[in-house]
Amino acid sequence: MVESTHDPVNAIELAALAAHASERIARVELGSRTVWVKRASAKALPISHYLQSIASVAFPGSVFRPSPPERGDDASRNEAARMKAFAEKGIPVPAVLFQGKGVLVLEDCGETLEKRLKTLQKVGEVEAHEELLVRMATSMGLVHQAGLVHGRPHPRDMFLRGEIVGYMDFEQNPLGAMSLERAQVRDLLCLFGYICDLAIKPDTPRIAYDAWAASAPEAAKKQLASTVSSMSPLVTLASAAGRIKLGSDLRRFIVGTSFLLNIVRAPFAARKPANS
């Protein structure tokens, strides 16, 4: 299958490229064009997958339960289908230039948001940096409004097409492990870990949350309140552990989940009598 909205590419050349690429994910210069060859993993599941399955029992709502493993042709076919679902809702994704057995050849989508954010911070463009974080949240609200999930939203898996945030890397399928609402909460926990960690201005995370909430479905908001409220003891424990050794993943988990926990508690605090 060849799908492209750009300059035509020789299907035979793409098929040969897919057949002979040795790396699982490879960037290839094809004439004046850059493409990515992505092979489905054939390796056995890492021990971390099984550890996460066991550990997720302690996480409320199973929002951290690992996605069901996909291998070979199933993996490439399902990833292409998830990209198609996004594209049908008007959300940019890489064009699938070639789809073969256990392999995809995808268009290059240019600079990732991770790289763009680093550049903006380096040159001191604070307002543009913060606006881009908010735009990420706005986009995620539209994704959720469309009844979709990404599974692992990370700035390195996002790009801009014009003014619209696009997504790539659809290897995760959380809907195979949890409900739509819980999968959308999982998206949000992951995304706000990065937004809160990267934000330069203290009010940016709140602006970003409001941008997500403006489009997000009510069911996702209710699930968020339920999930993060029940995670309060876990956040406290993680914060205590973080004082000993604060790795990047743990830091993002703490700041993102703590922020969302404060958000869902705010309405109750606002209703609380001042003299109580």
Side-chain angles (χ1 to χ4, degrees):
M1 176 178 67
V2 177
E3 301 176 7
S4 177
T5 57
H6 302 271
D7 299 334
V9 180
N10 188 295
I12 296 176
E13 189 175 13
L14 288 173
L17 181 64
H20 293 97
S22 57
E23 299 177 31
R24 194 175 90 77
I25 301 176
R27 184 178 186 271
V28 180
E29 300 298 331
L30 200 60
S32 61
R33 189 172 190 176
T34 300
V35 300
W36 290 84
V37 181
K38 187 172 186 180
R39 291 188 170 281
S41 176
K43 295 181 180 180
L45 290 174
I47 188 65
S48 59
H49 177 89
Y50 300 101
L51 293 175
Q52 186 179 346
S53 296
I54 296 171
S56 66
V57 175
F59 287 83
S62 302
V63 295
F64 291 104
R65 183 177 297 162
S67 299
E70 297 176 343
R71 290 288 182 269
D73 195 31
D74 284 344
S76 58
R77 183 173 58 250
N78 293 342
E79 182 167 7
R82 289 190 282 271
M83 286 192 286
K84 182 178 179 182
F86 269 58
E88 288 176 345
K89 296 294 185 178
I91 302 166
V93 295
V96 179
L97 304 175
F98 178 86
Q99 182 177 337
K101 189 174 180 60
V103 63
L104 299 172
V105 180
L106 307 172
E107 71 164 322
D108 179 66
C109 294
E111 185 179 51
T112 66
L113 294 198
E114 179 181 54
K115 185 175 180 180
R116 181 62 179 159
L117 286 164
K118 287 180 179 178
T119 299
L120 290 172
Q121 183 175 19
K122 184 177 180 179
V123 300
E125 294 284 351
V126 174
E127 294 300 327
H129 181 278
E130 304 301 90
E131 190 276 333
L132 191 52
L133 293 177
V134 173
R135 191 181 299 188
M136 287 162 52
T138 300
S139 173
M140 187 56 63
L142 295 173
V143 167
H144 293 166
Q145 182 185 63
L148 300 169
V149 295
H150 181 269
R152 190 185 58 192
H154 186 299
R156 68 168 174 255
D157 297 326
M158 301 178 190
F159 60 93
L160 284 178
R161 183 164 291 166
E163 298 297 314
I164 304 175
V165 173
Y167 297 82
M168 50 192 171
D169 194 354
F170 288 81
E171 293 185 0
Q172 297 285 321
N173 178 29
L175 294 178
M178 64 195 74
S179 68
L180 173 64
E181 292 77 17
R182 284 179 174 145
Q184 291 177 338
V185 169
R186 170 173 158 155
D187 271 355
L188 205 65
L189 287 167
C190 181
L191 182 68
F192 271 84
Y194 290 102
I195 289 176
C196 293
D197 191 41
L198 295 173
I200 299 171
K201 299 170 67 175
D203 58 342
T204 296
R206 179 64 207 223
I207 296 171
Y209 175 82
D210 290 342
W212 171 81
S215 300
E218 288 302 316
K221 298 174 190 176
K222 291 178 180 178
Q223 185 62 58
L224 174 67
S226 174
T227 297
V228 299
S229 294
S230 58
M231 290 174 68
S232 179
L234 189 61
V235 173
T236 301
L237 180 62
S239 298
R243 296 189 187 101
I244 301 172
K245 185 177 181 180
L246 195 62
S248 59
D249 289 341
L250 179 58
R251 181 183 67 248
R252 287 192 293 266
F253 169 78
I254 292 171
V255 298
T257 308
S258 297
F259 166 76
L260 292 170
L261 182 60
N262 288 333
I263 286 288
V264 301
R265 283 175 171 171
F268 299 98
R271 290 197 298 266
K272 189 175 180 181
N275 58 357
S276 62

